Amino acid sequence: MDFLPALIMSAFIGGVAGYLGSLMLSKRMALVGGPLGHLSLPGIALALIYGFDVSLGAFLFIVVGIIFIWLVEVRTKLPMEAITALVFASGVATSFVFLPEDKTVPALIGDISQITPDIVVIVIVLSSAIFFVTKRIYSKMILVSISEDLARVEGIDTKKFNFIYLACIALVISLGVRIVGGLMTAAIVAIPACTSKNLSKTLTQYAYGGLVLGSLGCILGIAAAEVTGVSAGSAIIMANTAIFLVSLVLKRAT
Amino acid sequence: MVKTMLKVDKLNVAFDGFDVITDLSFEVKEGEVLVILGPNGAGKTTLLRALLGLIPYRGNVVWATEDISYLPPQELWERRGLPPLSIEEFFRFKAVSMERILNIFQRVGLDPSLLKRGYGALSTGQFQRMIIGWALVDDPSVLLFDEPTSGIDIGGQETIYSLLHSFWKERNLTILLVTHDLNVVWEHAETVLCMNREKLCYGNPHKVLTPEELEKIYGAGIKHYEHTHR
């Protein structure tokens, strides 16, 4: 693993995932990262087989999956969680049909062994773009969470904002699978947000807490992976979990 | 001549082929207080949502202003499970100055120290006063308020209505109020619209809300004690 590029890339992905995750948690969608990560597995499998970028493969399948979930929900009125379960299980099953055995582990828990400077630059640009877009819609989406009717009367185009929000989620998950694989993406979205909620008293603290803690979890995880030789994906999740446990102690102390 | 703020003509709303509102027509003048009265399931909340264009409808709804504030019924406000959100941050969603926020806080009788409090940490009465402040902080021309006092004790109800009354007098606010409380109709409404999926009565409450009409709206057993003071 090239330590510095991996560290920079993971810090950016972790930060934006934590920031967006804080919004997802407030909309009770933090776990959506899991099914979407699983859904990305066929895309990761194809990328690994044909040698194109895993985030691109993941993104294409996540977008197709989100559109499918939305269409089925509109047509059938089935609960979204049920349709999501159907889609992500199908995604996992499909990926294992044609995923070569030696590519299985990287697809499931991530692989940052071959990070080029180009990829780092692309990740920095995309993460920053997602951050600024999310920042613009953040307070409006919180108002939608409080009451969609209220938000609409206040002039918020809820359909447009929901679309932007879902696009940001698809992009973040696609970036996330690069560092933690398709199996554990929910964790980089949900854990920093939960930790930040434990430590915050205002929305600003909570949102930026998600960003800082998400980034910190990735930095500590990559450092731990470098030192111990465990997979970076697992180390990142364990670092995030450790920070969360510390936040529980701090919360109890205050 | 007093401006017509809202003109509703032959409004029809249906959900899944089931008529919820049928052929409803009425007008609201600038500075008027219209109370919408009717039993549960009469379509009162649906009416407000249709007037605001939140749901599809047939017919014509014409507003003379876009400067409208809406407060949904308290049970439709998410108060638990939200991220940490201070009252001050909630007011900042409206992009108004701190001076205005402090001013409206004082007007609704809340201590400014509550601005630092969490959005979900207010009592029901404080919350209702806070959302009235939130709705009026950017000085709208029209306020639509759905069941302002549900879950509030009698003393608290009086405070809320007195507050709305003082804003109405002070700002020439046009108010559309959904309530079950007949006292509010007698004390504060200039016009009442009684409905049960269709218009049952409409006009000055002292003229149209006869015991017979009340019985038609709510069924037998309604006692009629009209308040004559204002």
Side-chain angles (χ1 to χ4, degrees):
Chain A
M1 172 172 78
D2 291 334
F3 179 68
L4 197 58
L7 191 76
I8 295 168
M9 185 186 77
S10 303
F12 269 83
I13 295 174
V16 74
Y19 186 69
L20 183 67
S22 67
L23 187 55
M24 290 169 72
L25 185 67
S26 69
K27 290 180 73 63
R28 295 177 184 168
M29 280 180 70
L31 276 179
V32 167
L36 291 181
H38 295 148
L39 188 58
S40 70
L41 281 168
I44 299 172
L46 286 177
L48 291 173
I49 292 166
Y50 294 106
F52 61 92
D53 190 85
V54 287
S55 286
L56 182 62
F59 182 71
L60 293 173
F61 271 76
I62 290 170
V63 168
V64 170
I66 286 176
I67 291 170
F68 181 78
I69 290 168
W70 178 72
L71 279 176
V72 174
E73 194 205 9
V74 168
R75 294 268 167 105
T76 65
K77 308 273 183 214
L78 279 166
M80 188 178 281
E81 67 207 46
I83 309 164
T84 307
L86 180 147
V87 171
F88 93 74
S90 310
V92 175
T94 312
S95 60
F96 278 102
V97 169
F98 52 87
L99 189 64
E101 208 169 304
D102 62 321
K103 306 283 188 198
T104 306
V105 172
L108 291 178
I109 63 168
D111 178 17
I112 52 168
S113 59
Q114 292 164 340
I115 306 293
T116 64
D118 290 356
I119 288 173
V120 176
V121 171
I122 291 169
V123 165
I124 289 171
V125 170
L126 276 176
S127 302
S128 305
I130 299 166
F131 168 73
F132 286 115
V133 170
T134 307
K135 190 169 182 284
R136 279 193 76 103
I137 65 168
Y138 204 102
S139 61
K140 293 176 176 69
M141 293 303 287
I142 296 291
L143 194 56
V144 174
S145 300
I146 290 172
S147 163
E148 186 164 341
D149 280 356
L150 194 69
R152 286 176 63 190
V153 174
E154 289 300 314
I156 295 170
D157 184 342
T158 49
K159 278 186 187 163
K160 184 174 106 183
F161 279 91
N162 275 324
F163 177 79
I164 295 169
Y165 169 64
L166 284 173
C168 287
I169 293 174
L171 277 167
V172 161
I173 300 300
S174 306
L175 294 177
V177 296
R178 182 179 286 285
I179 56 170
V180 294
L183 203 59
M184 302 187 289
T185 39
I188 59 165
V189 170
I191 300 176
C194 292
T195 310
S196 183
K197 195 171 182 184
N198 282 342
L199 301 173
S200 315
K201 286 196 163 49
T202 67
L203 191 65
T204 311
Q205 289 171 3
Y206 168 67
Y208 287 105
L211 182 118
V212 171
L213 292 163
S215 211
L216 180 67
C218 284
I219 290 169
L220 292 177
I222 294 290
E226 176 75 3
V227 173
T228 62
V230 299
S231 87
S234 302
I236 286 169
I237 305 305
M238 286 164 75
N240 273 312
T241 308
I243 299 169
F244 174 75
L245 293 174
V246 171
S247 78
L248 287 180
V249 177
L250 292 174
K251 191 184 182 191
R252 184 169 280 195
T254 53
Chain B
M1 198 175 132
V2 184
K3 188 163 91 177
T4 300
M5 274 303 218
L6 168 67
K7 189 171 168 58
V8 180
D9 188 31
K10 290 186 177 153
L11 180 77
N12 285 271
V13 180
F15 293 139
D16 294 327
F18 179 75
D19 291 330
V20 182
I21 295 174
T22 313
D23 279 339
L24 197 61
S25 301
F26 62 96
E27 280 184 15
V28 183
K29 300 282 185 198
E30 185 177 23
E32 187 177 342
V33 179
L34 173 79
V35 171
I36 300 160
L37 205 63
N40 289 335
K44 304 184 295 294
T45 298
T46 302
L47 171 61
L48 290 194
R49 298 186 76 223
L51 296 179
L52 292 164
L54 297 171
I55 48 171
Y57 61 84
R58 284 184 291 116
N60 290 312
V61 174
V62 182
W63 287 99
T65 178
E66 290 183 356
D67 204 4
I68 301 166
S69 230
Y70 169 56
L71 293 172
Q74 198 167 137
E75 62 271 19
L76 295 185
W77 290 71
E78 178 66 53
R79 290 184 66 188
R80 310 277 170 234
L82 282 174
L85 172 71
S86 70
I87 304 294
E88 186 184 332
E89 285 173 321
F90 179 59
F91 271 82
R92 292 286 192 192
F93 288 166
K94 286 250 190 183
V96 288
S97 68
M98 194 61 199
E99 192 188 343
R100 263 179 178 248
I101 297 171
L102 286 169
N103 191 27
I104 200 82
F105 238 64
Q106 195 184 18
R107 284 288 288 107
V108 297
L110 291 175
D111 191 303
S113 66
L114 290 175
L115 282 167
K116 300 290 172 205
R117 189 83 75 82
Y119 163 88
L122 298 182
S123 70
T124 309
Q126 285 174 330
F127 185 80
Q128 280 309 76
R129 277 193 274 171
M130 186 275 286
I131 60 171
I132 290 172
W134 192 82
L136 299 179
V137 72
D138 51 355
D139 218 0
S141 308
V142 182
L143 173 67
L144 284 78
F145 204 160
D146 199 340
E147 305 233 22
T149 54
S150 64
I152 296 180
D153 61 34
I154 294 171
Q157 289 179 12
E158 198 43 54
T159 309
I160 297 295
Y161 287 121
S162 299
L163 201 56
L164 286 173
H165 193 82
S166 65
F167 276 114
W168 167 68
K169 280 182 83 172
E170 193 181 289
R171 300 185 178 189
N172 196 31
L173 196 61
T174 306
I175 301 179
L176 278 75
L177 215 59
V178 163
T179 183
H180 287 290
D181 190 346
L182 282 173
N183 290 326
V184 177
V185 182
W186 303 129
E187 295 220 12
H188 302 295
E190 297 181 302
T191 313
V192 63
L193 169 68
C194 324
M195 62 181 291
N196 194 357
R197 296 192 187 146
E198 58 185 354
K199 186 160 74 184
L200 298 177
C201 71
Y202 173 60
N204 184 313
H206 299 275
K207 289 181 184 159
V208 299
L209 273 187
T210 58
E212 296 74 31
E213 199 62 51
L214 283 169
E215 199 170 311
K216 209 162 88 184
I217 302 164
Y218 290 106
I222 290 287
K223 297 281 187 289
H224 178 245
Y225 304 109
E226 181 174 348
H227 297 232
T228 50
H229 64 278
R230 291 209 66 184

